[in-house]
Amino acid sequence: MKAELQAGNSSSVSLQNPNLFPTSQSSISGALQGCLSSIDGACIERLLLHCANALERNDVTLAQQVMWVLNNVASSTGDPNQRLASYFLKPLILKASRVYPASINVNDSSGGDESFQRRPMSVTELARYVDLIPWYRFGFCASNGAILKAIQGFSRVHVLDFSITHCMQWPTLIDELSKLNEGVPTLRISVLSWRPRVPPSLNAPVQEVGQRLSNFAKFKDVPFEFNVIELTGLPHDQSSSDHLHYDLLIRLLMNDLSTLKIRDDEALVVNCQNWLRYIPDDRKMGNSSEIPSCRDCFLDMIKSINPCIVTVVDEDCDIGASSGLSSRITTCFNYLWIPFDALETFLPKHSLQRIEYESDFGQKIENFIGFEGVKRIEIFESTSKLSQRMVNNGFSSVAFCEDTIKEIKLLLDEHASGWGMKKDGDMLLLTWKGHNSVYASAWVPQRLTELEPWENSMLH
């Protein structure tokens, strides 16, 4: 657990049963016995890892014992350590119940709290959700800055929006376009008719979102068109894997690029906000060679349509498809303490806003820890791995301009003092108390950067 979280939450939790693990009757390690009198973040992490190791060794007795301790510590309305522990405990219990169905009683280890049922948000609630911490707005601001710079001089702009945030990025871009001195371009935004079933969820159809954007653009005197790319052939069975949806999605797009409705007279922008991590990255062997992953095929498709800019924003976490349970717990625990700790700085323990926000991260934790293989729908990669992937797929990075950096700093000034920003090459990183959380990057196909200046200008 990061030192900042331990220092910021000095209260400890006393266990009700200090004799739970008598040395003669339990295989629990001496190191864990030393932290049973008070529980902090570091000890919770050790308990989680001890539970994972017990499950991997098929030691049902030890797994039950550690879960009992975690059950007495975890609370979805406690301090950040307790709240985080409650979301890790649930998938561990479910994983144990699948391994030892006759030995684990799920109802006996609920983390001390009733299950919280997440409801879809209204558009207004989603706007407040996005504004709560800069987790999303940082990427919106950085991407919009890169887009505005890339489309200078164009009279028509087409944005292909691959994101999970229901177009919450675009009102700010529309507002910025309305202020351009050299003339307001026509803006066309295209979104897919399908998105992964992940938070945040909205109780309005995509067509209603488009109508709201159209009304706002009209108010701002920005010529606007909203297009929904209907994808026929995707399964409608909600129980089917998103992994399979993406596999079919990429095939549909690559086989018929006309569905994207690209026009030669438009500056083409591809926006990927928290999107790549949902595209499977598993590679398979064909008859004579390795078949590229779905993620690489998606990027190859993007390069083939020759965009003037590609923006990629995601969480700076490294949890690969083959990561083991213990590795996932360590990485996830030491990354997702950030939103739990940040929300502690300004929202009370029983705040519905806070509980809802944390429950969305809890869904992420449950998927990370509770599932393996294709059932684990999020595959993260760090900034360095993303950079290497983009280069390998024929893209070059683009630096963010100083105006964009100033805008991001102004944005962060609206939030708690723990938020900051730093550079990593051409990338920008959102930080909490110095630790990386979200990265923003901009890319162009390498063939554009290899052109002579006069050739590049001809494209405009």
Side-chain angles (χ1 to χ4, degrees), residues 231-234 248-257 259:
L231 295 169
T232 58
L234 288 179
L248 288 169
L249 168 65
I250 303 305
R251 288 186 206 170
L252 287 171
L253 293 179
M254 292 188 72
N255 290 337
D256 187 8
L257 289 176
T259 58

Side-chain angles (χ1 to χ4, degrees), residues 111-345:
D113 302 291
E114 295 181 359
S115 296
F116 177 76
Q117 297 298 319
R118 189 70 164 99
R119 59 179 178 79
M121 291 176 281
S122 67
V123 174
T124 302
E125 288 171 328
L126 180 59
R128 289 199 296 265
Y129 176 96
V130 166
D131 289 343
L132 200 58
I133 59 176
W135 203 266
Y136 295 104
R137 292 182 68 200
F138 165 79
F140 294 170
C141 187
S143 296
N144 285 345
I147 292 169
L148 285 167
K149 182 180 178 182
I151 64 173
Q152 286 180 0
F154 285 97
S155 60
R156 303 180 67 85
V157 178
H158 181 195
V159 177
L160 285 177
D161 184 25
F162 298 97
S163 71
I164 64 168
T165 47
H166 307 283
C167 297
M168 294 302 295
Q169 176 178 346
W170 305 124
T172 303
L173 180 67
I174 291 170
D175 184 56
E176 291 297 324
L177 289 175
S178 71
K179 301 173 184 175
L180 293 178
N181 295 324
E182 63 271 21
V184 179
T186 297
L187 175 64
R188 186 161 63 104
I189 294 178
S190 295
V191 300
L192 299 179
S193 60
W194 174 87
R195 69 185 290 277
R197 295 160 294 159
V198 295
S201 57
L202 187 67
N203 66 2
V206 65
Q207 290 80 6
E208 180 180 329
V209 174
Q211 187 58 55
R212 285 173 177 265
L213 283 176
S214 297
N215 293 340
F216 182 71
K218 184 176 181 180
F219 174 73
K220 289 290 183 177
D221 292 324
V222 174
F224 183 77
E225 181 183 340
F226 188 78
N227 178 46
V228 179
I229 302 169
E230 296 292 343
L231 295 169
T232 58
L234 288 179
H236 296 288
D237 179 10
Q238 289 299 305
S239 65
S240 60
S241 171
D242 280 336
H243 184 287
L244 299 176
H245 282 60
Y246 270 107
D247 190 39
L248 288 169
L249 168 65
I250 303 305
R251 288 186 206 170
L252 287 171
L253 293 179
M254 292 188 72
N255 290 337
D256 187 8
L257 289 176
S258 65
T259 58
L260 301 178
K261 297 182 180 179
I262 297 169
R263 301 170 186 166
D264 293 337
D265 62 341
E266 294 175 323
L268 180 61
V269 172
V270 176
N271 183 66
C272 296
Q273 292 275 338
N274 305 308
W275 183 262
L276 289 182
R277 66 174 182 250
Y278 296 107
I279 302 181
D281 190 34
D282 52 324
R283 294 175 174 84
K284 301 174 183 177
M285 290 302 298
N287 294 330
S288 58
S289 62
E290 187 178 66
I291 301 172
S293 72
C294 201
R295 194 172 300 189
D296 288 323
C297 288
F298 174 80
L299 291 173
D300 187 59
M301 182 269 292
I302 294 302
K303 188 178 70 169
S304 73
I305 58 179
N306 199 28
C308 68
I309 193 77
V310 178
T311 53
V312 179
V313 174
D314 221 314
E315 298 173 17
D316 189 21
C317 184
D318 194 3
I319 300 181
S322 60
S323 301
L325 179 60
S326 296
S327 173
R328 297 203 303 272
I329 285 176
T330 298
T331 302
C332 193
F333 193 79
N334 284 285
Y335 174 69
L336 287 179
W337 69 272
I338 294 174
F340 283 81
D341 192 44
L343 292 169
E344 172 81 357
T345 62

